[in-house]
Amino acid sequence: MTGKNGDAGLPAGIEAAWGLRERPGKGPKPGLSLEKIVEAAVAVAAAEGLGAVSMGRVAKELGASTMSLYRYVGAKDELYLLMQEAAIGAPPDPPAPGTGWREALSRWAWAQREAYHRHLWSVHIPVTGPPATPNTVAWWEQGITALDGTGLDDGTRLSVILLVNSFVRHEAMLSADLETAITASGASAHQVMTNYTTTLRRLADPVRYPSVARVLDSDIMFQPDSPAQDFTFGLECVLDGVDALIRRRADAP
């Protein structure tokens, strides 16, 4: 495909996200626009999950024909990309000058977590390539900049922000999956955990799995943790590792 700027091979969804696509030709449905299509798709995903989103369903929400949507959006994968761009949004304002790398990167990670948790359905959108839409590139820029002054080269910085983003995304995906499972069971989170513990006690031989048995026999599984406690612990461990890397690189001859 060739965009109006002559960029051969640029995916249609990325063209649309950057505003590089020509407007539809004659005859579009009055009141229909790319923005309204994406907004309706996001609303369906928020109410019923990503699996409920289809071109037909979004068209129905807008009172339009399915074929009319294809004048604006080429395929469902493209729609997913635009939904993610709209839902996650741009990163927050960068930290004040002089903010240390650890605080800056921690703020970046927490901001991503907040964005994902506002739209948990978005973590089920497949990752098909590196950041390429305006908001994802802005997040990428802020993550790289957070590591200014660390002495890390650009390749290592990319590896660091990929590591941190993967941790954030995995935590959000786990939250989304657990929420779906609990909702489908019709039970409370406490009851789901009780059932799991009872079942595992029955199946896992304590002689063969003594550590698991010890955990199951304690009340650890039922401690009233705050929702972000595990995330805090995990992120601090990741950042401790980054700190060790920075120190090691600084001490290298």
Side-chain angles (χ1 to χ4, degrees):
M1 174 179 179
T2 302
K4 72 176 184 178
N5 289 351
D7 295 320
L10 192 63
I14 295 177
E15 277 197 332
W18 287 96
L20 299 177
R21 179 181 298 176
E22 300 284 0
R23 292 182 179 277
K26 61 181 180 179
K29 178 181 174 60
L32 197 61
S33 68
L34 182 61
E35 291 75 16
K36 288 184 178 180
I37 292 169
V38 173
E39 182 180 344
V42 167
V44 171
E48 302 175 36
L50 187 65
V53 176
S54 68
M55 300 294 275
R57 175 61 190 281
V58 174
K60 181 179 179 181
E61 292 295 317
L62 292 168
S65 69
T66 302
M67 290 307 298
S68 67
L69 265 62
Y70 284 103
R71 302 179 69 85
Y72 298 85
V73 183
K76 188 165 73 172
D77 288 348
E78 179 184 337
L79 180 59
Y80 280 174
L81 186 70
L82 296 172
M83 289 168 62
Q84 184 178 54
E85 177 75 358
I88 301 303
D93 292 338
T99 301
W101 73 265
R102 184 164 184 143
E103 180 181 347
L105 198 56
S106 178
R107 287 181 55 174
W108 183 77
W110 277 100
Q112 282 195 328
R113 180 183 187 272
E114 182 180 351
Y116 282 137
H117 276 258
R118 283 197 307 267
H119 305 281
L120 281 175
W121 53 266
S122 68
V123 300
H124 293 298
I125 295 176
V127 177
T128 57
T133 55
N135 287 334
T136 58
V137 170
W139 280 99
W140 197 18
E141 170 71 17
Q142 193 171 107
I144 295 170
T145 303
L147 292 164
D148 282 352
T150 60
L152 297 178
D153 60 76
D154 285 337
T156 304
R157 291 193 200 191
L158 288 177
S159 295
V160 168
I161 64 170
L162 177 61
L163 170 66
V164 176
N165 173 258
S166 296
F167 169 74
V168 176
R169 185 179 176 87
H170 175 76
E171 188 269 350
M173 186 173 292
L174 181 60
S175 296
D177 290 345
L178 288 174
E179 182 179 275
T180 298
I182 290 171
T183 300
S185 74
S188 67
H190 185 274
Q191 186 60 51
V192 168
M193 187 57 66
T194 298
N195 293 343
Y196 166 78
T197 302
T198 300
T199 300
L200 201 56
R201 279 199 184 102
R202 186 183 307 132
L203 297 174
D205 181 357
V207 175
R208 187 174 181 182
Y209 305 105
S211 297
V212 171
R214 186 173 65 252
V215 170
L216 293 175
D217 288 340
S218 71
D219 61 353
I220 295 173
M221 305 286 282
F222 299 96
Q223 291 295 325
D225 297 340
S226 68
Q229 184 170 329
D230 287 339
F231 182 83
T232 301
F233 174 79
L235 180 60
E236 288 303 306
C237 287
V238 171
L239 296 181
D240 283 347
V242 176
D243 184 59
L245 171 67
I246 293 170
R247 294 176 185 276
R248 186 169 68 248
R249 293 285 178 88
D251 292 340

